[in-house]
Amino acid sequence: MLNLPVPVVTIGLLIASNIFMTFAWYGHLKYKSASLVLVILASWLIALPEYALQVPANRIGHGHFSAAELKTMQEVITLTVFAIFSVFYLKEPLTWNHAVGFAFIALGAFFIFHKWG
């Protein structure tokens, strides 16, 4: 991929895949009057590109990152994308308790990525 470093490609693909998945999982919440079957079908169609990005992200990143590190990156990116989505698309505020919870998850990421001697 244009000879970009593995971390750049991996993180970029994970961010892109998470944007699709967030819309697949939560985008329909603004359309409560839409039929559930239609919402499920639309979500599947949105999720397909997510998988087309997620699988290469993990394939490219594995070896440079461990599986645990890839999963941790996925979760941190998911929360970041979701926080932005929640505020700007769903118009729901993030409160102090959300920030504290996200901070604990970030602390967990620190423990996963820190090289312990």
Side-chain angles (χ1 to χ4, degrees):
M1 296 195 102
L2 303 171
N3 295 323
L4 294 171
V6 169
V8 171
V9 173
T10 302
I11 292 167
L13 288 170
L14 288 174
I15 290 169
S17 75
N18 268 281
I19 291 168
F20 278 102
M21 204 62 193
T22 300
F23 274 96
W25 285 3
Y26 302 103
H28 62 87
L29 296 178
K30 286 182 81 169
Y31 305 99
K32 298 263 185 175
S33 62
S35 82
L36 188 55
V37 172
L38 180 62
V39 167
I40 290 169
L41 290 173
S43 292
W44 280 355
L45 289 174
I46 296 169
L48 182 59
E50 185 272 340
Y51 283 101
L53 296 165
Q54 176 76 9
V55 170
N58 286 327
R59 176 70 62 98
I60 291 165
H62 191 251
H64 185 87
F65 300 106
S66 69
E69 289 171 334
L70 286 167
K71 183 60 180 170
T72 302
M73 276 192 288
Q74 169 69 25
E75 296 304 326
V76 170
I77 291 168
T78 296
L79 283 175
T80 303
V81 168
F82 179 78
I84 294 166
F85 176 87
S86 181
V87 169
F88 291 104
Y89 184 78
L90 295 177
K91 307 292 188 212
E92 294 183 2
L94 291 178
T95 60
W96 71 267
N97 55 313
H98 298 136
V100 169
F102 291 168
F104 278 119
I105 292 167
L107 182 62
F110 166 77
F111 281 102
I112 296 289
F113 279 93
H114 185 75
K115 302 302 179 209
W116 302 95

